[in-house]
Amino acid sequence: MKARAVLAGFVAWASLLVAGDAAAQSRIAIVPFTPAAGGGGAASDMGSGIADSLTFELHDGAVLDVVPKEKLLAAIQNEPGAAPEKPLSPDQALRVGKSLGAAFVVYGMFLKSGEAVQVNCQIGFVGTGKTYKLKAKGGSLFEAQDQLAVQVRKTILEGPEAAGAQLLGGAIPVKKAAAPLQPLEEEKTDPIAEKIQRMTFEERQRAAKEEFNKGAQIGNDSQEERMHYEIAIRYDPKYPRPRLNLGIIAYKKGEWAVAVEHFRKFVELVPEDPDAPAIRNYIADAERRLAQEVMKEVKVGFVPTDEQKSWSAADWFNKALEIMDKQPGLAIEYLKQAVQIDPNMAQAYYNLGKLHYDRNELEPAAKNFK
């Protein structure tokens, strides 16, 4: 193991922090993730844990600054129709981010199937009003969290295209930014929000129906049709029909998490509607398809043999050293087992950092060197 390789690993990690001296600080709101299949208890705790892990990975006080959890939860409570335990819609997330002075809002849902975990993450760019989606998968919660942190950081610092994030249909512009990472105070205000403030309740209801009708007349499942439905919801958050149509469009396009979000809201608003039983079936089917995606695409985690289950941390470490040159991927799994048994084994973190750095995996390298 060469000292220069270790030093290079430290430099790669430090460069992420040094960059903050030359760049404007970006404020991020990270919302607790909600379970795709509903329910609370441990599932809700897992969603909060995913958000807390992401906060730990992203907050550096230089380039990235995460909104304190207490302020975030208070802002969600003040958003009409929103609650910390319920999924946020894209427009709700953007308004929450705006109220907190955040440049980005990170939120979404997760699905656990056995040990495998999939996180369907959405990142709202408050300045432009656009929302991007990405997926993080892992054979364990730890793997999914690591992948999520890498993808979110890359999306924010390098742009959605660099991270492979896809534009989510239906996000409504809140503001138009002059340039990425510009302070919100320097950006233009939201004309729709200003218009709503001057309208009576009856006027908002009429405007919502007009926007819904415009979307229904288009009827081609396009981004333009979606936009009219989203605007209708902004005028009247309790108007159920735009939710139904948005859910149907997302379902047709295979956007299962988005479909579940809108279908759930529709059923919540009109539980006795004649369409509600069929929509509940659509919700169950979309959640099933999410589970199938996890089982089909997720990387299977390393499973020790019966003999290896009796190994000590030192055994795992020594065996990793023997195979580092010829089987670096397997050596990484061995070293992970070592630190799981002995979290204070500095030598294991040292070698994990080196192996990841040699594979050009700078994020996990930096984490282990640190």
Side-chain angles (χ1 to χ4, degrees):
M1 291 172 287
K2 298 179 180 178
R4 64 178 179 83
V6 177
L7 178 60
F10 276 110
V11 171
W13 167 71
S15 66
L16 296 174
L17 302 184
V18 174
D21 296 334
Q25 188 180 77
S26 297
R27 192 166 174 81
I28 310 170
I30 302 177
V31 180
F33 287 72
T34 56
S44 298
D45 292 342
M46 182 181 292
S48 295
I50 293 172
D52 292 343
S53 172
L54 195 56
T55 297
F56 176 79
E57 294 292 340
L58 295 183
H59 181 83
D60 55 33
V63 178
L64 303 178
D65 176 46
V66 177
V67 175
K69 191 172 185 178
E70 297 75 16
K71 290 185 178 180
L72 170 65
L73 296 179
I76 293 175
Q77 294 284 11
N78 291 331
E79 170 64 25
E85 69 276 6
K86 294 164 54 179
L88 291 177
S89 67
D91 50 308
Q92 284 178 327
L94 290 170
R95 287 197 295 271
V96 167
K98 177 184 174 183
S99 71
L100 293 166
F104 307 95
V105 186
V106 181
Y107 60 105
M109 291 188 280
F110 68 92
L111 184 71
K112 190 173 187 295
S113 181
E115 293 301 316
V117 175
Q118 173 176 307
V119 182
N120 293 285
C121 179
Q122 295 173 200
I123 304 177
F125 283 54
V126 179
T128 63
K130 293 182 179 180
T131 300
Y132 295 86
K133 61 179 181 178
L134 53 84
K135 292 180 183 179
K137 302 181 179 71
S140 66
L141 177 60
F142 177 80
E143 289 180 5
Q145 287 174 330
D146 268 5
Q147 187 183 126
L148 180 66
V150 172
Q151 291 183 343
V152 171
R153 177 183 285 274
K154 195 165 188 177
T155 300
I156 290 173
L157 296 183
E158 301 179 31
E161 294 79 10
Q166 297 179 333
L167 181 65
L168 180 70
I172 302 303
V174 174
K175 295 180 176 182
K176 183 176 181 180
L181 308 183
Q182 288 293 318
L184 296 177
E185 292 75 15
E186 298 179 6
E187 298 166 358
K188 296 180 181 179
T189 56
D190 177 4
I192 294 179
E194 291 182 344
K195 184 178 179 181
I196 290 174
Q197 290 177 354
R198 298 192 298 268
M199 299 171 74
T200 65
F201 175 71
E202 291 75 15
E203 289 172 336
R204 293 200 307 272
Q205 285 186 314
R206 286 196 297 270
K209 291 180 180 178
E210 289 175 2
E211 289 294 334
F212 173 79
N213 290 334
K214 289 178 183 178
Q217 288 173 2
I218 296 172
N220 59 1
D221 300 340
S222 64
Q223 174 65 21
E224 183 181 2
E225 181 182 355
R226 281 177 151 180
M227 180 187 69
H228 287 296
Y229 296 146
E230 288 285 356
I231 295 176
I233 293 171
R234 292 190 65 186
Y235 281 126
D236 184 0
K238 294 186 178 181
Y239 189 15
R241 305 315 289 185
R243 291 285 186 179
L244 177 60
N245 285 18
L246 283 168
I248 292 173
I249 293 173
Y251 185 89
K252 289 179 180 178
K253 294 180 178 292
E255 299 171 359
W256 311 122
V258 178
V260 168
E261 173 189 341
H262 289 297
F263 283 153
R264 276 186 182 160
K265 189 63 178 180
F266 172 79
V267 173
E268 177 186 328
L269 290 170
V270 284
E272 303 303 323
D273 189 277
D275 290 330
I279 296 307
R280 291 189 180 95
N281 290 334
Y282 276 111
I283 293 173
D285 185 63
E287 290 174 344
R288 178 181 61 80
R289 291 173 185 269
L290 275 174
Q292 288 177 340
E293 285 186 358
V294 173
M295 300 311 295
K296 180 180 178 181
E297 300 177 26
V298 75
K299 179 183 177 182
V300 178
F302 173 77
V303 179
T305 65
D306 290 339
E307 178 186 352
Q308 290 171 333
K309 288 178 182 178
S310 63
W311 286 4
S312 65
D315 291 331
W316 285 108
F317 177 78
N318 291 328
K319 293 293 184 180
L321 294 184
E322 294 175 6
I323 62 173
M324 279 181 65
D325 293 334
K326 294 183 178 180
Q327 296 177 282
L330 185 58
I332 287 175
E333 299 296 340
Y334 280 19
L335 290 170
K336 286 181 179 178
Q337 295 291 324
V339 297
Q340 185 174 344
I341 296 172
D342 183 1
N344 296 316
M345 183 177 279
Q347 308 98 311
Y349 290 112
Y350 172 97
N351 284 282
L352 270 170
K354 180 182 183 303
L355 285 169
H356 281 298
Y357 182 79
D358 289 344
R359 292 154 64 97
N360 200 34
E361 298 167 349
L362 299 185
E363 290 285 348
K367 181 177 180 180
N368 283 286
F369 280 139
K370 182 179 180 181

